[in-house]
Amino acid sequence: MDVDTEMQSATAQGTEESKENEWVRINSNDGFSYLVRRKVAQTSGTMANMLDPNGGYAEAQTKICTVDERGIVTEKLVEYMCFKSHYQTVGPKEDIPVQEMQERIPPEIVLEVLLAADYHEM
Amino acid sequence: MASRYDARVPSLIFLCQRVAANNAEAITSLGSELSFHLVKPILERCGPDQLVRLEEASPHLMTDTPDIWREMCFQKYRLIAEEHYSPSDEPEDPDSWKNRYFFLQEAEIKRFEEVGSRIRSQRMEADERKKEREVRFTDRVPPPKRSRTGGWGGAPAQPKTLFQKTRTEASKIQKAFYNSRSVPPRQVGKTVRVHATPDHSILPPIPSSIPSRVTVNTITLPRHPPPSGSSASSSSPASTTSRASPPSCQSSSFDMGSKGQSTRDYMTPLSNASSPPPSRSSTAPPLKSPGPIKKDPMASLFVPKHRAYSQRPHS
């Protein structure tokens, strides 16, 4: 039994880690689809809740999050999520290119991105 | 599990707010879904006109914009705003900070215009004063700086023409001439003196209307031997009385008396003595001549008084 619990905990741990590396799908409302690691998707508080198996959302089963935004806006969200999840883990000595990220947001869509970012808690 | 440095990575909301605020003037509408706390940084970066436009496009924002208007009032028009309002003022109607802003804007424009016109008028006055001092072409001679003799009250009102100068000099000469008592003028070297050399040959004949102390009487004395005694005695007083002797002639009165015989004696020497004076007085001009005159004094009127300015030879 101990071995089982250990095995279970090990698999649980492994599952955690492997779950982190799982691919999840993020869909826009006009047919675009993005595949990201779960870890990246969890940058967004909303998405992390959606994908949480304990959350009770259907997305947890399907591992697909649908974002009610255009593809171009959704892509910008995904881009930011990748940016943030990567630089969250770097050491204190590395500079974070925030200005670059800011420059990658075109003013033409900034208000939509702002609205979506607020909804998705990022 | 992994250590998170999310404090160092700014949120997407923050980045979007930054980008939108940088382009605040280009935004046409904030829509109806964006809440005030999301767009506050954008509205703070708008100008007053843009703020009005966005308010009208998204009326739900108007409940929270008075704070922005108030900040705008005190930032842009601090002096005047502090005169009129205080920051902690809670105005009656919701739009009133917005209205106050535009009121302050107009007041500021008016003040600028006043100051500008004042500066303009001062500059024009300064320009005019400058123009008066500048060199200009003119054909009017300015009045002389100091009077010639210094004994007068001041310079004449208008510059005198040459003709006027001549006339004044001539009248001065006439006055000097008639007021003098035939004192011969002194001729000091070559000094040209305009007043003291009257020349009767050039002057007009003396009109009889001029009053003077010199009386002129032309006398002709008889040059014949004295008649018989009775007529001699009668004629002698007549001759003596008729002879109003000129001051220069022998004016001693001959005592005729009533001596009958002695009148004859007296008459002869009298007639002898009196002959030369009448001849002298009749041939000579009525007034004593001052002496030979070398120069034409009228010409000297035009010569400057100082030898330095004269073009005549100085020798």
Side-chain angles (χ1 to χ4, degrees):
Chain A
M1 294 313 139
D2 290 334
V3 175
D4 278 339
T5 45
E6 273 184 31
M7 277 279 291
Q8 265 185 355
S9 58
T11 33
Q13 246 186 8
T15 324
E16 281 286 336
E17 287 169 359
S18 60
K19 271 186 99 172
E20 293 265 303
N21 281 338
E22 257 186 348
W23 294 100
V24 295
R25 191 178 286 274
I26 298 174
N27 286 339
S28 71
N29 62 6
D30 54 351
F32 289 89
S33 187
Y34 303 89
L35 282 169
V36 292
R37 304 273 183 202
R38 187 183 284 267
K39 185 181 95 171
V40 169
Q42 283 170 344
T43 309
S44 158
T46 319
M47 283 197 211
N49 289 337
M50 276 204 271
L51 296 168
D52 192 357
N54 302 330
Y57 289 105
E59 288 83 357
Q61 302 293 323
T62 60
K63 297 177 193 153
I64 299 172
C65 282
T66 307
V67 172
D68 188 14
E69 299 287 344
R70 300 187 289 150
I72 188 170
V73 178
T74 310
E75 187 169 327
K76 205 47 69 179
L77 295 178
V78 170
E79 192 177 328
Y80 174 79
M81 286 196 284
C82 293
F83 167 81
K84 179 163 178 183
S85 68
H86 177 260
Y87 283 101
Q88 259 179 298
T89 55
V90 297
K93 290 195 182 149
E94 259 192 61
D95 284 333
I96 299 173
V98 178
Q99 191 60 29
E100 277 181 33
M101 184 63 233
Q102 186 176 316
E103 281 165 10
R104 293 179 66 86
I105 303 172
E108 290 81 355
I109 61 165
V110 68
L111 292 177
E112 293 174 80
V113 175
L114 175 63
L115 192 63
D118 180 54
Y119 178 76
H120 288 278
E121 296 168 13
M122 33 171 148
Chain B
M1 293 293 185
S3 54
R4 299 185 127 218
Y5 294 98
D6 46 350
R8 291 177 64 202
V9 181
S11 70
L12 186 56
I13 292 173
F14 178 79
L15 293 179
C16 287
Q17 283 174 336
R18 276 250 211 111
V19 172
N22 290 342
N23 299 280
E25 298 291 319
I27 299 172
T28 51
S29 166
L30 289 171
S32 52
E33 294 170 358
L34 287 167
S35 66
F36 179 78
H37 88 274
L38 278 180
V39 298
K40 188 171 171 217
I42 304 168
L43 295 176
E44 282 167 355
R45 294 272 293 270
C46 288
D49 298 330
Q50 175 73 348
L51 187 54
V52 169
R53 255 179 275 146
L54 294 178
E55 272 185 346
E56 284 168 6
S58 315
H60 66 279
L61 300 173
M62 282 212 237
T63 52
D64 298 296
T65 49
D67 279 347
I68 299 180
W69 286 114
R70 193 188 60 197
E71 281 312 304
M72 235 187 257
C73 281
F74 285 97
Q75 276 172 15
K76 290 208 174 172
Y77 306 121
R78 192 177 328 160
L79 283 174
I80 307 181
E82 278 172 4
E83 281 172 30
H84 294 261
Y85 318 112
S86 74
S88 57
D89 200 9
E90 287 295 330
E92 324 69 43
D93 81 272
D95 278 354
S96 112
W97 275 112
K98 182 162 82 170
N99 293 337
R100 285 176 182 182
Y101 178 85
F102 287 107
F103 168 78
L104 288 176
Q105 192 178 49
E106 286 173 16
E108 189 83 0
I109 290 172
K110 234 180 280 176
R111 195 172 70 87
F112 275 177
E113 277 178 13
E114 278 174 33
V115 171
S117 64
R118 197 172 358 126
I119 290 175
R120 222 176 299 126
S121 64
Q122 279 179 0
R123 184 168 56 81
M124 291 204 318
E125 276 177 32
D127 275 349
E128 275 186 32
R129 259 181 254 126
K130 229 185 147 188
K131 268 191 138 183
E132 280 173 20
R133 287 185 56 81
E134 75 181 14
V135 179
R136 278 180 292 182
F137 283 114
T138 179
D139 53 4
R140 285 189 52 160
V141 180
K145 283 185 188 155
R146 54 177 180 82
S147 58
R148 255 176 283 153
T149 61
W152 300 343
Q158 256 188 342
K160 284 192 163 185
T161 64
L162 213 49
F163 180 63
Q164 281 174 329
K165 278 190 206 159
T166 317
R167 280 177 54 184
T168 48
E169 297 289 349
S171 63
K172 279 183 208 160
I173 289 170
Q174 277 188 359
K175 281 185 203 159
F177 193 50
Y178 289 113
N179 286 335
S180 68
R181 285 180 169 271
S182 73
V183 173
R186 294 180 295 119
Q187 290 230 347
V188 183
K190 287 239 174 193
T191 310
V192 178
R193 299 181 64 202
V194 184
H195 298 285
T197 56
D199 187 21
H200 47 271
S201 62
I202 293 183
L203 286 174
I206 301 140
S208 55
S209 61
I210 293 180
S212 79
R213 282 175 274 172
V214 176
T215 320
V216 178
N217 282 333
T218 319
I219 311 161
T220 45
L221 285 175
R223 296 170 184 269
H224 48 76
S228 57
S230 61
S231 61
S233 62
S234 63
S235 68
S236 60
S239 63
T240 45
T241 50
S242 70
R243 197 191 302 126
S245 56
S248 57
C249 295
Q250 188 72 333
S251 57
S252 56
S253 53
F254 290 91
D255 184 36
M256 289 296 121
S258 53
K259 296 176 188 169
Q261 234 178 6
S262 59
T263 49
R264 197 193 292 178
D265 297 323
Y266 280 101
M267 279 302 290
T268 325
L270 185 65
S271 66
N272 288 339
S274 64
S275 55
S279 67
R280 199 178 73 184
S281 63
S282 61
T283 54
L287 291 176
K288 184 165 171 68
S289 161
I293 296 162
K294 294 177 214 162
K295 312 181 257 237
D296 178 9
M298 288 307 281
S300 66
L301 281 177
F302 300 97
V303 174
K305 287 186 187 156
H306 289 288
R307 291 170 59 183
Y309 299 113
S310 165
Q311 289 180 356
R312 295 165 62 98
H314 285 328
S315 65

